[in-house]
Amino acid sequence: MEQTESIGYLPVNNINVYYEFYPNQASDKTFVLLHGFLSSTFTFRHLISLLKKEYQVLSVDLPPFGKSAKCNQYVYSYKNLAQTVIKLTESFGLKKMTFIGHSMGGQIVLNILHMMPELADKAILLCSSAYLKRSKLPLILTSYIPYFHLFVKYWFARTGVKKNLQDALYNHSIINDEMINGYLQPFLEDEIFVALTRMIRHREGDLPAEVLHQIKTPCLLLWGDHDNSMPLKVGEKLNKDLVNSELIVLKETGHALPEERPNEVYEYIKNFSGNFQLAAD
């Protein structure tokens, strides 16, 4: 019997995780999409509409973002987020997936490749987070101050969704009300700011070079030449530290590749998925 798309929540790793699952009986390839910091599945909406026509797709709201639960008992570390994604894929009985991670989601993908390389046949990193250090001790200690989450909320209100989008996009003309409201919606309740405070405490640094060297999974790196969040030099260094990777640079493009270049990103994904295998050094 043919499966229909499934959108909802699953209790995984002691937290309710929001997901969107688009099965495709005609395809033997499954893409798992992981978004970046302060984002959600919403950022992949254009890419999902393209991918689901030909492939099986699972998109995840990484806790505490999007529609996933915000829980005071959950540990918001990269390692635990990676384990949560792994357990979610197990719930769907998925094997040998291609993981696609944007920004912070790329760092979660790299953690999965390090922890359980057998789960992935390939990986695609879109302006991936890399080489960021853990929050400094004074900030971690400050996060324990009562009502510190209100300072986090104040910072977010000051920067604003529109300003964040302008920083992430090279082409500001594509910013519209639908985009602004889509990114703003998860931040209308105080719960998210409490969870972000916990993330300040729990988030370890990005994987170091010596760990990246151990990852053998073929990786395609897509980067915008005008990425101000994760500059191109970060992608070039990551490409050197991953032994089985290729870097492609998109011209006149910022950090938010799934928003700015969904069609081009889709074509690169399709190419990488079906037409070639990188050779390890």
Side-chain angles (χ1 to χ4, degrees):
M1 189 169 103
E2 188 171 336
Q3 284 181 283
T4 57
E5 68 182 50
S6 171
I7 296 174
Y9 297 84
L10 271 178
V12 181
N13 205 13
N14 300 313
I15 194 165
N16 276 334
V17 177
Y18 175 82
Y19 69 87
E20 296 182 8
F21 182 54
Y22 303 92
N24 190 326
Q25 303 291 348
S27 176
D28 61 352
K29 294 187 183 300
T30 299
F31 291 98
V32 178
L33 310 182
L34 304 180
H35 61 80
F37 187 66
L38 301 180
S39 189
S40 68
T41 286
F42 179 79
T43 199
F44 288 121
R45 65 197 181 285
H46 303 308
L47 198 52
I48 288 172
S49 68
L50 296 168
L51 286 170
K52 70 180 184 180
K53 294 175 184 176
E54 296 193 53
Y55 307 104
Q56 187 158 259
V57 179
L58 173 64
S59 189
V60 183
D61 276 2
L62 297 167
F65 300 109
K67 297 177 182 177
S68 283
K70 290 78 177 148
C71 176
N72 287 336
Q73 284 72 49
Y74 189 80
V75 176
Y76 295 100
S77 66
Y78 284 157
K79 183 177 180 182
N80 200 39
L81 285 166
Q83 289 173 334
T84 301
V85 173
I86 290 168
K87 289 180 179 179
L88 183 66
T89 63
E90 289 172 351
S91 297
F92 284 98
L94 301 177
K95 312 281 186 188
K96 277 295 179 185
M97 296 149 276
T98 295
F99 288 89
I100 302 177
H102 174 241
S103 196
M104 184 194 79
Q107 197 60 215
I108 307 300
V109 169
L110 290 169
N111 272 264
I112 293 170
L113 301 185
H114 176 59
M115 292 161 57
M116 292 192 70
E118 66 275 14
L119 281 184
D121 55 0
K122 294 178 181 179
I124 298 162
L125 306 176
L126 310 176
C127 300
S128 176
S129 168
Y131 311 108
L132 295 177
K133 303 297 183 184
R134 191 178 184 208
S135 298
K136 293 184 177 178
L137 185 59
L139 179 58
I140 294 172
L141 294 176
T142 303
S143 75
Y144 285 92
I145 295 174
Y147 305 109
F148 179 76
H149 70 278
L150 296 178
F151 290 98
V152 178
K153 184 177 181 179
Y154 175 71
W155 168 84
F156 186 80
R158 287 216 29 174
T159 55
V161 170
K162 187 171 183 179
K163 174 66 164 57
N164 286 338
L165 287 171
Q166 288 172 338
D167 289 344
L169 295 166
Y170 175 78
N171 180 11
H172 293 177
S173 70
I174 66 173
I175 299 173
N176 55 30
D177 288 343
E178 183 236 358
M179 187 186 294
I180 292 171
N181 291 334
Y183 283 99
L184 176 63
Q185 194 63 40
F187 296 94
L188 296 178
E189 303 293 335
D190 280 354
E191 284 181 315
I192 180 64
F193 301 104
V194 176
L196 284 173
T197 299
R198 290 178 63 81
M199 195 170 215
I200 290 171
R201 301 172 200 161
H202 298 159
R203 189 193 72 82
E204 65 274 55
D206 292 344
L207 292 181
E210 56 268 26
V211 174
L212 295 173
H213 293 329
Q214 300 168 19
I215 294 173
K216 302 297 192 292
T217 307
C219 293
L220 177 65
L221 280 58
L222 297 179
W223 231 271
D225 64 343
H226 286 77
D227 188 337
N228 296 320
S229 301
M230 284 290 151
L232 180 55
K233 64 182 180 182
V234 175
E236 292 168 343
K237 180 170 171 28
L238 187 59
N239 189 40
K240 290 178 181 176
D241 284 335
L242 292 169
V243 298
N244 198 4
S245 66
E246 178 176 345
L247 172 65
I248 293 174
V249 180
L250 280 66
K251 301 295 184 185
E252 298 185 341
T253 306
H255 182 65
L257 294 187
E259 287 286 1
E260 203 159 13
R261 301 286 186 188
N263 292 298
E264 291 94 328
V265 169
Y266 169 69
E267 289 301 327
Y268 283 119
I269 290 171
K270 191 173 177 181
N271 233 13
F272 178 64
S273 175
N275 293 345
F276 67 91
Q277 177 88 9
L278 301 175
D281 292 342

